[in-house]
Amino acid sequence: MQDRTYTADVTAGETATVAGWVHEVRDLGGIAFLILRDTSGRLQVKFEKEEMDEELVETGLGVHRESVVVVTGAVEEESRAPTGLELVPESVEVLAEAEAELPLDPSGKVDAELSTRLNNRTLDLRKPEVQAVFEIRSEVLRAVREQFREEGCTEINTPKIVATGTEGGTELFPVTYFGQEAFMNQSPQLFKQLIAGSNVEKVFEIGPIFRAEEHNTPRHLNEATSIDFEGAFCDASEAMDVAERVAKTAYEAVAENCERQLEALELADGFEVPDGEFARLTYEEAIERVNATGALDVQLVWGDDLSTEAERALGEAVGEHYFITEWPSEIKPFYIMDQEGGELSTGFDMMHPRMELVSGGQREHRRQQLVEGFEQQGLDPEAFEYYTKMFKYGMPPHAGWGMGAERLVMTMLDLENIREAVLFPRDRQRLSP
């Protein structure tokens, strides 16, 4: 609408045309108010019944909540109005009438279960605090892209339909691809390695990944957004440096550019940007610290992965972002390079006190050792021939990682469920909307 003014931009003494949703109608007898809401805020529209055209009053006050309207009129100062301004209408046009009964209350006066909210995401997003989450998510991804470019990276896009799974196993969604079986990709891992092995060297990707895991927890999804980095001539330590800088940049951007959204989420006063270098604990140090907390019924031993309870106990002990390094080779994927001796890997995880955010490491760039890694994990090297053959032609040392975008936003904003950080989440129960 060319002549439209956002509610946040209206000025007293001018005639304005505003468009948006009917947030509520307050009828006080001789005078009534329609509160119009748009993406920038709200504006009070005043109806003095005895002094206005009857049809205009009926149109403005008879419309249901969440209907879409266009209102034109004079803007006046009014100290009692929520924004200090109100609009006296000359015309009201109903563009789309909403039903009287809504599946949830966008005003937030009545809470709704998360499942109801997700089933009606369009209505849910009309709440400022929900909209704020996704505006912050957008800012996070913008800042992350900018930081990657500061790192000298090129953005890439890799296939999401593949012939073989990145990590094998049962966590694959099969699809029919012109009469043959294919899979939704678990990760851009193998492809980003191949690009890092070209003359491009440093790359990043932000895109969907798919995991057919039979879980149903507040921090897992079957379709997620992965923030990926891969750099030629990088080792694990340098890759961790990049991950730390990317995470800090995301926080700094939100603190600097999302004050209104943080206020909507009631986080403005307590939002903290990570300060100082992230601690780097070896795997051995990590399990020792977990065991020292006494939080687990059974003590961890070498070779155990960290359970949710163990991660929580360690996170409470550390109290800030940190890395776990030097994981046992046996519990890391085939493409992670071993340290000299073979017992320890170059793999690392970057952790928030609540959960894992990043998994990465230096990659095995020597073809023979890579093929042996396939065989040790029960994978057929021939199924990955498109990948392994490139290692015949001069693959440089390289390292990288994948970061969960939803987990980054979830932990940053202290959300209870990862689905709150996804517009239309996909999990075991949810395939629509």
Side-chain angles (χ1 to χ4, degrees):
M1 300 178 63
Q2 292 182 351
D3 58 348
R4 178 190 179 193
T5 301
Y6 285 101
T7 59
D9 299 329
V10 298
T11 304
E14 295 185 353
T15 296
T17 295
V18 294
W21 290 263
V22 177
H23 188 68
E24 62 178 313
V25 175
R26 302 170 185 163
D27 195 332
L28 306 178
I31 191 169
F33 301 99
L34 180 155
I35 308 302
L36 183 142
R37 183 191 70 244
D38 65 16
T39 192
S40 70
R42 301 173 190 173
L43 181 65
Q44 177 172 290
V45 180
K46 180 175 71 174
F47 293 85
E48 294 181 285
K49 297 180 182 179
E50 298 300 323
E51 299 180 13
M52 289 184 171
D53 178 77
E54 184 177 345
E55 184 177 349
L56 175 66
V57 173
E58 287 180 358
T59 301
L61 302 183
V63 70
H64 297 141
R65 286 187 310 139
E66 297 308 312
S67 296
V68 181
V69 299
V70 179
V71 184
T72 298
V75 180
E76 301 177 351
E77 292 185 357
E78 173 51 73
S79 60
R80 293 169 293 182
T83 62
L85 297 171
E86 66 182 9
L87 185 147
V88 179
E90 299 169 0
S91 67
V92 177
E93 180 183 0
V94 180
L95 298 183
E97 177 77 36
E99 293 186 2
E101 296 296 323
L102 300 173
L104 59 81
D105 180 12
S107 74
K109 294 178 180 178
V110 180
D111 291 335
E113 296 290 334
L114 181 59
S115 60
T116 301
R117 292 173 51 205
L118 296 178
N119 288 340
N120 302 278
R121 201 47 142 167
T122 301
L123 277 176
D124 188 47
L125 279 163
R126 294 178 187 175
K127 294 185 284 189
E129 66 273 20
V130 178
Q131 184 176 337
V133 170
F134 294 99
E135 289 174 341
I136 287 173
R137 175 180 168 132
S138 176
E139 176 62 17
V140 164
L141 295 182
R142 183 207 63 78
V144 164
R145 281 188 165 92
E146 188 173 296
Q147 181 60 37
F148 276 128
R149 293 186 177 102
E150 289 289 322
E151 303 284 344
C153 298
T154 299
E155 184 169 7
I156 61 171
N157 302 103
T158 60
K160 304 309 168 200
I161 301 174
V162 295
T164 54
T166 301
E167 298 169 18
T170 60
E171 299 173 4
L172 292 165
F173 284 113
V175 296
T176 300
Y177 191 75
F178 297 106
Q180 60 181 321
E181 186 177 53
F183 303 95
M184 302 302 294
N185 207 3
Q186 298 166 307
S187 163
Q189 178 61 47
L190 307 187
F191 292 102
K192 65 178 182 173
Q193 284 187 255
L194 295 180
I195 301 304
S198 72
N199 205 46
V200 179
E201 292 197 8
K202 289 185 178 181
V203 298
F204 77 95
E205 178 170 14
I206 300 175
I209 59 170
F210 304 87
R211 300 288 175 96
E213 296 172 328
E214 293 285 339
H215 47 51
N216 187 21
T217 79
R219 62 180 191 171
H220 286 94
L221 294 165
N222 293 109
E223 179 182 352
T225 303
S226 186
I227 301 169
D228 276 87
F229 164 78
E230 203 73 27
F233 305 103
C234 287
D235 60 22
S237 179
E238 291 166 319
M240 283 188 277
D241 291 341
V242 175
E244 182 174 329
R245 288 194 292 268
V246 165
K248 287 180 176 177
T249 293
Y251 273 82
E252 289 166 356
V254 171
E256 182 176 348
N257 301 321
C258 297
E259 182 179 356
R260 176 176 59 84
Q261 290 83 359
L262 291 172
E263 287 177 354
L265 291 163
E266 299 182 351
L267 294 174
D269 294 334
F271 188 78
E272 296 182 2
V273 177
D275 186 28
E277 295 184 358
F278 294 176
R280 298 188 181 187
L281 308 178
T282 66
Y283 168 82
E284 185 172 13
E285 290 170 336
I287 61 174
E288 287 175 355
R289 291 193 66 170
V290 171
N291 289 337
T293 67
L296 305 186
D297 294 333
V298 179
Q299 296 270 287
L300 294 176
V301 298
W302 179 266
D304 287 342
D305 204 347
L306 298 188
S307 64
T308 300
E309 293 75 15
E311 286 183 2
R312 185 179 298 117
L314 184 56
E316 290 177 357
V318 177
E320 57 188 5
H321 289 82
Y322 64 100
F323 288 96
I324 302 176
T325 66
E326 298 187 3
W327 285 77
S329 298
E330 63 189 30
I331 59 175
K332 281 297 180 182
F334 63 85
Y335 50 78
I336 296 292
M337 177 181 278
D338 293 342
Q339 296 186 24
E340 189 174 349
E343 185 180 36
L344 298 177
S345 75
T346 60
F348 62 82
D349 290 346
M350 190 182 83
M351 313 292 293
H352 180 275
R354 289 179 63 186
M355 66 189 70
E356 174 193 320
L357 299 181
V358 169
S359 182
Q362 184 167 341
R363 319 309 190 181
E364 180 54 74
H365 65 282
R366 299 164 297 180
R367 185 176 184 278
Q368 184 57 42
Q369 286 85 342
L370 184 66
V371 170
E372 291 172 359
F374 275 105
E375 295 169 344
Q376 290 169 5
Q377 295 196 14
L379 299 172
D380 180 7
E382 292 186 6
F384 296 83
E385 197 265 344
Y386 76 91
Y387 166 72
T388 59
K389 75 176 182 180
M390 290 297 116
F391 288 72
K392 298 178 181 178
Y393 312 129
M395 182 64 67
H398 56 286
W401 43 263
M403 175 187 295
E406 290 82 11
R407 288 192 174 193
L408 177 61
V409 174
M410 177 187 180
T411 53
M412 176 185 288
L413 303 182
D414 197 26
L415 304 177
E416 292 185 7
N417 195 305
I418 197 168
R419 291 156 185 80
E420 296 180 70
V422 189
L423 285 171
F424 301 105
R426 292 292 176 259
D427 56 31
R428 285 178 58 190
Q429 284 78 38
R430 186 168 293 276
L431 191 56
S432 178

